[in-house]
Amino acid sequence: MAREIGIGVVGLGWMGRVHSSAYARMRERFPELGLRPRLIAAADPVAANQEAAVEQFGFERAVDSIDELLSDPAVEAVSICSPNVLHRDLAVAAAQAGKPFWIEKPMGTSAQQSREIHEAARAAGIATAVGFNYRHAPAVEHIRALVLSGRLGRITNIRCWLIADYASSPDGPLTWRYDRERAGSGVIGDLLSHGADLVQHVLSDRLSEVTADSGIFIADRPIPTKVGVGHGGFEVGDKRGPVGNEDWVAALGRTASGTRVTLESSRVARGHRSDYALEVFGTEGSARWSFTRMNEFEVQLGDGGLEHGYTTVLAGAGHGRYASFQPGPGIPMSFDDLKAVEGSLFLSDVAGGGSTAPNSADGLSAALVCEAVVDSAASRTWQPIPAVEGTTFEQPGEQRS
């Protein structure tokens, strides 16, 4: 018989709804885990979100605050999907209540807040997961396997960029995302944190230093008069306010083993909806992947003779967790599928005491990269990045070739 795990979700905006759907699909896609998530309660102060939680997503009840959710003994694990400014207090409260949590990135609005979250979770001895979903793409998992097996040779350099246009209109609303106090370092925490995690995960090697530049290209935005969900549904008035955090960033870095790293992120790149990509170069080959074509990747192994170029590979059953979703290669998976993978790893850790999901140590590591990037852009100098114990990208027993 499947073990039931009571679930609470905090924040029923876009990401809270994605988490809710991921839990609902888990029994269908990962029956081998023997786990059955039960959607107990959703906490959100917005009445429309409370109604959606019960009527659309099947929660047993909706409440106004996390206190009601955490005090319920039926809630055994929590998703934290609120705006960034609330992450620290909510995560620490969950840890102190002994509730394992799955939290969206960035964990906190600063590296200090992320450290406080990580230390609270470690003190409580609870399982954690952080929303670095792109590492779960089957193609990315296979590229990581190529790196760790040595098939690409010695890794010389890696490029990762996350370029988007969700903020490219100067008439887009001035939401919490553009406030440094409430959101942190703009596109650095929002998208570059994914890049930092992807690089460290694929290489199984931590970023040790960076130098960077950043910019705010849209200086002010209209103040919203109506709250939306996620990036949409807002209405604005005539008044405008200043943007307080970064629109664009680029960084050069080095890993602890000496691999060179290039990172870039933008939220204002017109024409790029979600151009997220990764390229890995080694002495014996290279590999590349793009989220815009998530279900395939390209590899080049050996000298190739006269036909020296990339081979396109369609993701299939031998790649990552593809077989949990589709029976044969070439059938697309989705963004929401990646979150279902993440949720399954989280609940597997909750039930079994392991650490297979990207955890709070990974979240802190990415936050420290982002902090170093911010400091470097301000000082125009190289900045060191402290190591973090307990990350999943440097699991014991994994050998670099």
Side-chain angles (χ1 to χ4, degrees), residues 31-166:
E32 70 278 7
L33 296 179
L35 302 174
R36 183 173 63 186
R38 175 185 165 196
L39 300 182
I40 302 291
D44 195 298
V46 178
N49 288 344
Q50 290 189 13
E51 180 180 356
V54 175
E55 298 298 327
Q56 183 178 351
F57 293 96
F59 282 89
E60 295 178 12
R61 60 192 180 91
V63 298
D64 291 325
S65 73
I66 191 175
D67 293 335
E68 295 176 76
L69 187 149
L70 294 180
S71 64
D72 188 339
V75 174
E76 301 171 79
V78 177
S79 276
I80 298 172
C81 306
S82 61
N84 300 352
V85 68
L86 302 176
H87 281 190
R88 184 267 177 200
D89 289 349
L90 297 177
V92 170
Q96 291 175 345
K99 309 283 189 181
F101 60 81
W102 175 14
I103 189 170
E104 277 306 311
K105 39 55 52 192
M107 280 206 313
T109 58
S110 65
Q112 178 58 34
Q113 284 196 359
S114 295
R115 185 178 299 281
E116 291 170 7
I117 291 170
H118 172 59
E119 290 177 350
R122 187 169 57 178
I126 57 172
T128 58
V130 181
F132 293 127
N133 45 275
Y134 299 110
R135 66 155 71 177
H136 307 306
V140 172
E141 292 285 46
H142 188 68
I143 290 173
R144 181 176 195 259
L146 290 176
V147 170
L148 295 180
S149 70
R151 293 188 67 193
L152 301 183
R154 177 177 58 84
I155 304 304
T156 56
N157 60 297
I158 184 169
R159 297 199 302 157
C160 185
W161 62 94
L162 294 100
I163 308 296
D165 69 348
Y166 66 81

Side-chain angles (χ1 to χ4, degrees), residues 138-374:
V140 172
E141 292 285 46
H142 188 68
I143 290 173
R144 181 176 195 259
L146 290 176
V147 170
L148 295 180
S149 70
R151 293 188 67 193
L152 301 183
R154 177 177 58 84
I155 304 304
T156 56
N157 60 297
I158 184 169
R159 297 199 302 157
C160 185
W161 62 94
L162 294 100
I163 308 296
D165 69 348
Y166 66 81
S168 61
S169 171
D171 295 321
L174 185 69
T175 68
W176 61 267
R177 296 178 186 277
Y178 305 100
D179 185 303
R180 185 169 295 276
E181 182 177 344
R182 292 186 291 166
S185 55
V187 77
I188 298 172
D190 190 21
L191 293 182
L192 194 80
S193 61
H194 277 300
D197 182 71
L198 275 172
V199 165
Q200 294 184 139
H201 175 68
V202 166
L203 298 182
S204 189
D205 191 14
R206 71 176 186 88
L207 277 157
S208 60
E209 57 181 334
V210 292
T211 185
D213 192 17
S214 64
I216 298 174
F217 297 155
I218 299 177
D220 58 72
R221 294 179 175 275
I223 296 172
T225 57
K226 178 185 175 182
V227 176
V229 175
H231 292 281
F234 292 87
E235 295 179 3
V236 299
D238 296 329
K239 294 182 179 180
R240 302 178 73 90
V243 171
N245 55 24
E246 296 85 347
D247 286 330
W248 169 87
V249 64
L252 296 176
R254 299 187 185 99
T255 69
S257 68
T259 300
R260 273 36 175 197
V261 179
T262 307
L263 296 167
E264 184 180 9
S265 288
S266 177
R267 64 188 182 189
V268 295
R270 285 189 175 271
H272 291 265
R273 301 265 70 181
S274 53
D275 184 7
Y276 308 156
L278 180 77
E279 294 187 333
V280 186
F281 299 91
T283 55
E284 301 296 328
S286 64
R288 58 191 186 186
W289 169 83
S290 171
F291 179 63
T292 58
R293 304 179 73 172
M294 188 183 87
N295 297 283
E296 63 183 60
F297 60 97
E298 295 176 291
V299 293
Q300 193 279 320
L301 298 170
D303 63 15
L306 294 177
E307 291 77 34
H308 184 80
Y310 282 96
T311 297
T312 299
V313 181
L314 298 178
H319 304 129
R321 294 165 182 82
Y322 180 94
S324 295
F325 296 88
Q326 300 296 347
I331 304 174
M333 287 175 60
S334 71
F335 175 93
D336 286 12
D337 291 335
L338 302 185
K339 300 306 285 190
V341 171
E342 197 165 84
S344 73
L345 296 175
F346 170 53
L347 289 193
S348 178
D349 293 343
V350 170
S355 184
T356 56
N359 61 24
S360 63
D362 297 298
L364 174 56
S365 180
L368 290 169
V369 173
C370 292
E371 180 179 68
V373 165
V374 171

